[in-house]
Amino acid sequence: MSERRNFIKKSAIGALGAFLLPKSTQAIMNTNNNTHSAKEFPMVISTWRHGLAANDAAMNSLLNGDKAIDSVEIGVRVPEADPESNSVGYGGWPDRDGHVTLDACIMDETGNCGSVSFLQNIKHPISVARKVMDETPHVMLSGKGALQFALEKGFEEENLLTKKGEKRWRKWLETSEYKPIINVENHDTIGLLALDKKGDISGACTTSGLAWKLHGRVGDSPVIGAGMFVDNEIGGCCATGVGEAVLKTLGSFLIVELMRQGATPQEACEEGIARIVKNQNYKDMQIGYLAINKKGEHGSYAVHPGFNYALHQNGENKLIDSNSFIKK
Ligand code: ASP
């Protein structure tokens, strides 16, 4: 790539963002080598190691001919039910008062979406979010109302605080120091995006949020456009990490919009992280973004090293380390 082209690309995406760029510049930006490219559908991509098992379930469903929206729900239910996933569903680490509180959202290829926040005692918040989407005129239900809705729809109440979670929380109470440890206490949300055989995109995101958060705290994960966003003409994005930073920049919506203006998924994720590090005290927090476009290309970027994601594409399901703003 020539010096001039490099300059145009860097200044366009870094300083100004890609908005309002002429089509010719957008074409140059599309030549970025960082974007991992593959043409085959279906594909599934999701955050962190537990994404491997989630991807398997989602891919099976896609290969059986399910739509992306069904596969994303099926996929994220796997970590929701896994007591070893300590930031999702059953076995999630609790808030400061010892309560496991859950946030989730789901979005389909038509722009329909549903979400629940501050939901307690229901193992599969993603399926409640799906029902909000399918069976109500609303997008978001929260707290007691979300629980009441779930019970009316036949979900069962159960204690989600495992013995391990309770032990960990009691240990935390000894100091009660709230300083989430990067890549340990502030991650594990599962965000999952799928492209089905038809090439339609959907996404799901579900979490118990930051460990030891204030009771009542809601993060980015149930907020459409923050924790996850899909536009079937363009692509999709999901987020993990300190939700406050993602909420302040409406990260997933931003990244999809940057792709609309011509950025590759990789460039868009890097710009999403750039918006965070520009104004926020990023040194002590991790945030990771994952994005895909309609061609089945993907990108990822994080603040710190240590973010990884699972990609199921072309018959292979593998864990990949993301690049990050702070280098190793
Ligand atoms: N994004 C989630 C939240 O802030 C946390 C995470 O990714 O684990 O609630």
Side-chain angles (χ1 to χ4, degrees), residues 87 103 186-189 207 209-210 217 219-221 240-244:
S87 270
D103 297 335
N186 61 10
H187 86 70
D188 264 11
T189 289
T207 190
L210 301 180
R217 180 262 188 192
D220 60 315
S221 305
T240 180
V242 176
E244 284 72 7

Side-chain angles (χ1 to χ4, degrees), residues 44-45 53-59 61-62 66-81 88 104-108 114 123-135 155 190-194 201-206 228:
V44 184
I45 194 166
N55 282 3
D56 274 337
M59 183 55 81
S61 124
L62 290 172
D66 284 349
K67 289 172 59 140
I69 186 64
D70 297 316
S71 76
V72 296
E73 181 184 354
I74 288 168
V76 302
R77 281 174 62 98
V78 175
E80 279 186 341
V88 187
C105 74
I106 190 161
M107 191 164 194
D108 76 7
K123 192 186 260 172
H124 289 299
I126 198 66
S127 297
V128 186
R130 175 82 192 259
K131 290 231 177 277
V132 174
M133 175 176 114
D134 287 344
E135 297 178 25
F155 291 84
I190 185 144
L192 185 148
L193 304 164
I201 302 177
S202 295
C205 184
T206 173
M228 192 270 296

Side-chain angles (χ1 to χ4, degrees), residues 107 193 224-225 227-231 235-238 252-253 256-257:
M107 191 164 194
L193 304 164
I224 298 291
M228 192 270 296
F229 190 72
V230 165
D231 181 322
C237 179
C238 57
S252 291
F253 181 73
V256 172
E257 288 305 301

